[in-house]
């Protein structure tokens, strides 16, 4: 069987339908007798629900039904609440805020869904929503971590006194204290990781239809089988085989479309109750206010180093705002996932980490591209650059003195994580060369000659992947026409999985890409956890490798019977099975046609040995107008190790897309609530700044595949979130490099013109 990585890269197989407007997005679906749902959402951040009057709405033209949580509860619907995952620092066990499809008794954040209106048309449902009267008794609210932790703070939920719902600790406090006492250099920073709105191109949308004795759900989800299980077990209380989830095209997921959110589940429940198709699609304003957001953490971090710049210890105290109604991911990300990469690419002997989860009257925090790793890596890389300036050492040299060396691999970090491979010094060296690090002084002088400030920054990163599930399915079906269908548990959402897996299978089987179909997104046919945590390429791809080998082995057995030969004498190449040393052969198509059901089918679930660790080095340069505070990103270079790439152009697209989101956080994006009222200030694109094409220079991207992963047979490492992890600290370090000579010692994200201008003026007063 052929090896992979030898062929020319094929054209993306997804693009034709998308460019021609024939993609299968959920909101484009329609059915006879289709009804439409619109939600009534809370205008308050915190309030008791005194009463709900739906009488006028029920009489409105076209209205089919109006539902509250009482209606859902009477029909046996379950909610999304779950017990505490972690105790508090004092050992007490908090209660999680109730998380229901529709609010009951109280609303706890602006935009929480309260009532669902179903009508014949979307316009009729929108009109009827205006007739629903909800009487609220407004309560004090709190939206900021600092305010929520004050002794007299408004309580979001009575079962969580002090607004704390979980704590975790890592490392050795005594050893850390001892290291800090003898350190020649100590650097400390307070870093705000601001709340971000996900803003996928396609808003959330769900269409559900009753089909005999089961419900069929069409949704943009990153994990169809998990969505099916949640609906069956939690909301509908139905056997799993009575719920089918179908996913077609997804206009971006980024973690927001992991599973199903409570308000999305209402439309599925309504279709079950009404026994007719019902569709809901979020307005963009709903996505700003009510879907899961990302980040929103505050970290106090310190680094201890000896006189030669060798790191002695890392200390972090972190607080994570997880919203009013916590999700499992919102708790696991700060308390468990993010800390895995806390020590980054460095040989740090001891850590002392303390992380606390805080609830506030804000929308739920969930997964967002990078999910905890960007926060911890930003801390570390900001500390490294600050330390280099304090010590008076080149930032690249400081990193080299502390890198984990290739000879140390496999290397176990102070967090207990095992790096299987990586050459961090090599990637930094290549990045500095590609970025023309030595030519920076001339560029800086030219910019200063025009009255501009100019700075450079770099970051070294390592990425944790897998979502802690090491197995994936790739079932193979060969039909009598020779077409090969591979059913995958991973889920495409714009990242090019169909192309990558098509190319991989084509190379492994030695057949044309046009003969291969990658099928995903049907819970009747696929399992697994879907796509998240940068797991698809190396875990899903390894399943394709194993499945291809099993298919060929099965084909050899069948060909031996058909050709009346020994299986040991059958050779395979380019879709044909041949008796070695003869011209007698049979192709896949003919072989499949000979089978009783006219196909060859194998089930294949494959496991990899462990986590893969993508890593890399990024270098960026910025120019700042001191009169306006405007930051312009002038140059951006990356050298990334994603192991052995399946499809280089797609890998570059993933890196650049991740960088765009990370740079957006550094320069532009911030979800802001009014501190007094809990109202959302950044509730639209008029108020929430997103990066555009002209935000970025041409990216200079290079891959280094000289150090393949040891944990999977492909040697792949994943790439989906790497750009996000590396880019934010790179840009922030470049900004600080430009501002440092003016006396600016810290600046929070996003580094907007106003914030930068204020920092500059603050040093001149």
């Amino acid at each position: 069987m052929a090896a992979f990585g030898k062929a020319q890269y094929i054209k993306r197989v997804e693009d034709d339908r998308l460019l021609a407007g024939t993609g299968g997005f959920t909101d484009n679906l329609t059915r006879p007798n289709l009804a439409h749902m619109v939600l009534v959402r809370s205008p308050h951040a915190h309030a008791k629900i005194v009463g709900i009057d739906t009488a006028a709405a029920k009489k409105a033209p076209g209205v089919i039904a109006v539902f509250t949580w009482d209606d859902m509860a009477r029909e046996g619907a379950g909610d999304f609440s779950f017990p505490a995952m972690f105790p508090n620092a004092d050992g007490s066990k908090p209660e999680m805020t109730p998380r229901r499809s529709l609010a009951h008794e109280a609303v706890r954040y602006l935009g929480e869904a309260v009532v669902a209106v179903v009508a014949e048309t979307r316009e009729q449902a929108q009109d009827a929503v205006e007739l629903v009267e909800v009487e609220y008794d407004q309560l004090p609210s709190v939206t900021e971590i600092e305010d929520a932790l004050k002794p007299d703070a408004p309580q979001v939920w009575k079962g969580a006194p002090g607004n704390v719902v979980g704590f975790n600790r890592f490392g050795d406090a005594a050893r850390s204290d001892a290291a800090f006492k003898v350190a020649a250099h100590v650097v400390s920073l307070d870093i705000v990781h601001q709340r971000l709105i996900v803003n996928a191109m396609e808003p959330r949308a769900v269409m559900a239809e009753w089909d005999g004795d089961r419900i069929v759900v069409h949704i943009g989800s990153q994990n169809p089988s998990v969505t099916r299980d949640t609906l069956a077990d939690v909301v509908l209380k139905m056997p799993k085989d009575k719920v089918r989830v179908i996913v077609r095209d997804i206009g971006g997921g980024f973690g927001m479309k992991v599973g199903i959110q409570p308000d999305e589940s209402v439309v599925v429940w309504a279709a079950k109750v009404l026994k007719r198709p019902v569709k809901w699609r979020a307005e963009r304003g709903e996505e700003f206010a009510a879907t899961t957001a990302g980040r929103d953490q505050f970290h106090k971090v310190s680094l201890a180093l000896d006189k030669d710049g060798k790191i002695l210890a890392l200390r972090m105290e972190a607080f994570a705002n997880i919203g009013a109604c916590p999700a499992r991911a919102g708790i696991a990300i700060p308390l468990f996932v993010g800390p895995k990469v806390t020590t980054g690419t460095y040989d740090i002997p001891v850590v002392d980490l303390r992380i606390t989860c805080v609830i506030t009257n804000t929308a739920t925090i969930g997964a967002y591209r990078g999910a905890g790793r960007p926060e911890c890596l930003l801390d570390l890389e900001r500390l490294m650059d600050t330390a280099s300036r304090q010590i008076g050492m080149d930032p690249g040299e400081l990193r080299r003195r502390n890198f984990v060396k290739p000879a140390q691999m496999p290397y176990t970090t102070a967090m207990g994580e095992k790096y299987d491979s990586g050459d961090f010094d090599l990637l930094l060296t290549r990045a500095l060369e590609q970025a023309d690090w030595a030519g920076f002084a001339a560029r800086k002088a030219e910019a200063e000659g025009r009255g501009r400030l100019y700075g450079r920054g770099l970051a070294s990163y390592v990425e944790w992947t897998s979502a802690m599930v090491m197995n994936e399915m790739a079932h193979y079906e060969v039909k009598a026409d020779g077409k090969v269908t591979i059913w995958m548990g991973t889920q495409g959402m714009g990242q090019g999985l169909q192309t990558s897996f098509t190319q991989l299978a084509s190379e492994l089987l030695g057949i044309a890409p046009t003969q291969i179909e990658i099928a995903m997104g049907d819970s009747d046919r696929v399992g697994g956890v879907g796509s998240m945590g940068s797991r698809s390429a190396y875990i899903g791809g390894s399943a394709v490798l194993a499945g291809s080998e099993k298919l060929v082995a099965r084909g050899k057995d069948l060909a031996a019977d058909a050709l009346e030969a020994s299986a040991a004498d059958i050779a395979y190449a380019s879709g044909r099975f041949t008796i070695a040393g003869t011209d007698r052969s049979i192709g896949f198509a003919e072989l499949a046609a000979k089978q009783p059901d006219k196909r060859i089918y194998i089930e294949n679930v494959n496991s990899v040995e462990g986590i893969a660790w993508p890593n890399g080095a990024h270098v960026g340069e910025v120019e700042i107008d001191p009169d306006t505070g405007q930051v312009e990103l002038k140059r951006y270079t990356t050298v990334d190790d994603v192991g052995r790439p399946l499809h280089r152009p797609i890998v570059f697209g993933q890196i650049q897309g991740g960088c765009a989101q990370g740079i957006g956080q550094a320069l532009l994006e911030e979800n802001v609530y009014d501190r007094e009222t809990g109202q959302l200030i950044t509730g639209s694109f008029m108020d929430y700044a997103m990066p555009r094409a002209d935000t970025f220079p041409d990216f200079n991207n290079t891959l280094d595949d000289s150090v393949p992963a040891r944990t999977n047979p492909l040697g792949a490492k994943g790439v989906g979130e790497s750009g996000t992890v590396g880019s934010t600290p790179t840009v922030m370090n470049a900004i600080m490099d430009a501002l440092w000579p003016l006396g600016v010692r810290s600046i929070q994200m996003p580094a907007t013109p106003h914030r930068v201008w204020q920092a500059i003026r603050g040093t001149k007063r």
Side-chain angles (χ1 to χ4, degrees):
M1 190 169 65
F4 85 97
K6 303 296 184 183
Q8 295 293 317
Y9 298 109
I10 65 173
K11 189 182 81 169
R12 283 174 52 107
V13 301
E14 301 95 338
D15 286 356
D16 286 348
R17 70 173 185 273
L18 296 174
L19 293 172
T22 59
F25 296 99
T26 305
D27 195 38
N28 292 339
L29 300 176
T30 188
R31 294 288 187 273
N33 203 35
L34 177 65
H36 297 262
M37 187 183 83
V38 175
L39 296 169
V40 177
R41 296 188 178 275
S42 169
H44 304 295
H46 196 194
K48 290 182 180 178
I49 299 175
V50 178
I52 302 174
D53 186 348
T54 62
K58 289 178 178 178
K59 296 175 183 177
V63 170
I64 300 163
V66 181
F67 299 117
T68 65
W69 175 249
D70 285 338
D71 299 314
M72 296 184 69
R74 277 195 299 270
E75 294 287 340
D79 63 37
F80 288 71
S81 304
F82 59 93
M85 299 168 64
F86 294 85
N88 289 330
D90 62 3
S92 63
K93 194 171 183 179
E95 289 183 27
M96 292 295 102
T97 317
R99 194 169 185 233
R100 302 186 176 97
S101 302
L102 296 170
H104 180 63
E105 296 178 345
V107 292
R108 293 184 174 84
Y109 62 93
L110 180 82
E112 187 172 6
V114 181
V115 180
V117 176
V118 182
E120 299 291 347
T121 70
R122 182 177 176 85
E123 292 76 15
Q124 288 172 328
Q126 289 171 324
D127 290 341
V129 157
E130 301 297 327
L131 300 176
V132 174
E133 295 185 5
V134 182
E135 183 181 353
Y136 297 100
D137 183 4
Q138 199 166 345
L139 299 171
S141 63
V142 61
T143 59
E144 302 285 334
I145 292 171
E146 178 185 0
D147 295 339
L149 293 174
K150 292 177 179 177
D152 59 347
Q155 296 300 289
V156 177
W157 168 242
K158 61 183 180 183
N163 294 320
V164 172
V165 290
F167 174 83
N168 208 2
R169 185 162 197 163
F170 300 90
D172 188 321
R175 285 183 60 204
S176 174
D177 290 345
F180 271 88
K181 285 180 181 177
V182 300
H185 304 282
V186 173
V187 292
S188 300
L189 292 171
D190 291 351
I191 299 178
V192 175
H193 303 271
Q194 77 272 31
R195 178 178 286 237
L196 303 175
I197 300 295
V198 178
N199 282 322
M201 287 181 65
E202 179 199 21
R204 293 175 300 145
V206 186
M207 188 184 80
E209 53 187 328
W210 187 255
D211 183 18
D213 64 342
R214 68 196 307 234
I215 194 84
V216 180
V217 182
H218 308 267
I219 184 173
S221 172
Q222 295 174 221
N223 44 9
S225 58
V226 173
T227 298
R228 185 266 323 273
D229 294 351
T230 301
L231 285 169
D233 296 341
V234 175
V235 180
L236 303 176
K237 306 294 185 181
M238 295 173 65
K240 290 184 178 66
D241 63 359
K242 297 299 182 183
V243 181
R244 182 185 185 189
V245 171
I246 298 174
V247 180
R248 293 176 176 82
D249 290 311
I250 305 176
F254 311 119
M256 179 183 75
K257 294 175 184 174
V258 169
I260 187 166
Q261 297 187 34
D263 54 0
E264 295 174 298
S265 72
V266 183
V267 65
V268 183
W269 180 85
K272 175 192 174 185
V273 171
L274 298 173
K275 300 295 189 290
R276 64 181 289 184
V278 183
K279 183 165 69 175
W280 169 80
R281 188 257 300 151
E283 296 282 0
R284 185 62 68 179
E286 291 180 282
E287 298 294 68
F288 274 96
T291 194
T292 56
R295 312 286 191 256
D296 207 343
Q297 298 183 26
F298 172 65
H299 294 189
K300 299 174 71 68
V301 290
S302 298
L303 197 63
L305 307 96
D306 69 14
K307 62 181 178 61
D308 298 317
K310 190 71 175 68
I311 299 172
L312 302 176
L314 171 67
R315 182 185 286 155
M316 177 177 77
E317 183 177 19
F319 300 90
N321 181 357
I322 57 173
C325 302
R328 292 180 188 272
I331 292 176
I333 286 166
L335 294 188
F336 178 70
V337 175
K340 290 178 176 295
V341 299
T342 301
T343 58
T345 55
Y346 309 114
D347 185 8
I348 300 178
V350 62
V351 297
D352 178 17
L353 313 182
R354 292 169 290 164
I355 309 115
T356 300
C357 280
V358 181
I359 56 174
T360 64
N361 295 112
T362 59
T364 297
I365 288 288
Y368 178 64
R369 198 171 191 171
R373 287 93 79 193
E375 294 93 310
C376 292
L377 265 299
L378 176 75
D379 290 350
L380 186 56
E381 290 305 298
R382 287 287 309 279
L383 285 169
M384 290 299 284
D385 257 34
T386 305
S388 73
R389 295 188 187 97
Q390 183 170 313
I391 296 171
M393 185 182 297
D394 178 84
E397 175 58 27
L398 180 64
R399 287 168 169 84
R400 286 195 177 93
R401 293 190 182 193
N402 288 283
F403 278 143
V404 176
K405 306 299 189 291
Q408 295 175 268
M409 300 292 179
Y411 171 83
T412 301
T413 74
M415 295 300 299
E417 300 295 327
K418 186 177 180 180
Y419 297 169
D420 69 296
S421 61
D423 190 337
F424 310 135
D425 196 338
L426 171 67
L427 268 62
L428 175 63
T429 298
R430 292 197 64 189
L432 296 180
E433 291 172 353
Q434 295 282 351
D436 185 24
W437 186 261
F440 169 75
R443 294 188 292 276
K444 181 179 178 69
E446 188 278 331
E448 290 179 344
R450 293 184 284 106
R452 298 292 191 263
L453 307 173
Y454 204 79
R456 65 182 178 183
L458 64 86
S460 175
Y461 77 88
V462 65
E463 233 282 81
W464 175 88
T465 63
S466 79
M468 293 302 292
V469 181
M470 302 302 170
N471 57 66
E472 194 50 78
M473 61 166 281
H475 298 343
Y476 279 63
E477 181 180 34
V478 184
K479 296 181 181 177
D481 61 0
K483 295 277 188 180
V484 179
T485 300
I486 308 175
W487 289 93
M488 301 288 299
T490 55
Q491 181 59 53
M493 50 183 150
Q495 75 275 54
L497 289 187
Q498 287 177 291
T499 299
S500 297
F501 292 149
T502 296
Q503 171 149 330
L504 178 60
S506 172
E507 294 182 2
L508 292 170
L509 296 174
I511 62 177
T514 53
Q515 291 293 103
I516 297 169
E517 178 190 8
I518 304 298
M520 297 177 281
D522 185 343
S523 66
D524 277 3
R525 299 295 301 269
V526 305
V529 301
S531 290
M532 65 197 76
S534 302
R535 67 185 301 273
S536 299
Y538 85 93
I539 301 179
S542 294
V544 171
L545 173 61
S548 296
E549 292 172 342
K550 290 177 183 177
L551 178 65
V552 170
R554 176 62 175 153
K556 286 182 177 181
D557 290 338
L558 296 174
D561 290 340
L563 298 174
E564 299 180 341
S566 168
D569 294 330
I570 300 296
Y572 172 80
S574 302
R576 296 197 68 80
F577 299 88
T578 304
I579 301 176
T582 77
D583 59 358
R584 294 182 61 204
S585 67
I586 186 170
F588 255 134
E590 185 181 352
L591 196 58
K594 288 180 176 292
Q595 306 312 308
D597 55 356
K598 307 299 182 186
R599 68 170 187 161
I600 303 169
Y601 181 76
I602 63 159
E603 291 191 352
N604 166 59
V605 177
N606 182 70
S607 296
V608 299
E609 294 179 16
I611 293 166
W613 299 92
N615 60 89
H618 291 200
V619 179
E621 296 182 6
V622 300
E623 182 177 297
I624 300 175
D625 183 339
D627 295 326
T628 66
Q630 181 67 45
V631 178
E632 182 180 358
L633 185 60
K634 302 295 288 186
R635 297 164 65 94
Y636 202 89
T637 300
T638 75
V639 177
D640 297 280
D641 172 9
V642 302
R644 297 178 68 189
L646 305 187
H647 191 288
R648 284 179 183 266
I650 282 177
V651 168
F652 286 134
Q654 284 291 291
I655 290 170
Q656 291 176 11
C659 286
Q661 287 182 264
I663 294 166
Q665 177 174 2
L667 297 179
L668 298 164
E669 300 184 49
E670 184 176 23
N671 182 21
V672 180
Y673 288 91
D674 182 88
R675 206 161 182 168
E676 299 299 322
T677 66
Q679 292 296 309
L680 184 60
I681 295 174
T682 52
S684 75
F685 288 129
M686 296 291 289
D687 312 295
Y688 187 94
M690 291 279 286
R692 306 180 305 185
D694 61 3
T695 303
F696 313 107
D698 289 337
F699 287 103
N700 177 13
N701 302 119
T702 302
L703 297 182
D704 186 297
D705 54 8
S706 63
V707 189
R710 301 174 184 174
T711 56
N712 66 88
L714 291 176
K717 296 184 179 180
V719 69
E721 293 160 295
S722 295
T724 318
V725 175
S727 59
T728 313
T730 299
V731 174
M732 292 306 297
N733 281 340
I735 292 169
M736 285 307 305
D737 185 55
L739 298 179
W740 194 270
L742 301 181
V744 178
R745 293 297 176 259
S746 184
I747 190 169
Q748 301 294 352
M749 300 181 294
T752 59
H754 183 239
R755 188 166 283 165
V756 173
W757 183 87
Q758 283 184 313
I760 293 171
R761 291 301 174 275
T763 64
K764 292 183 177 181
R765 284 198 293 268

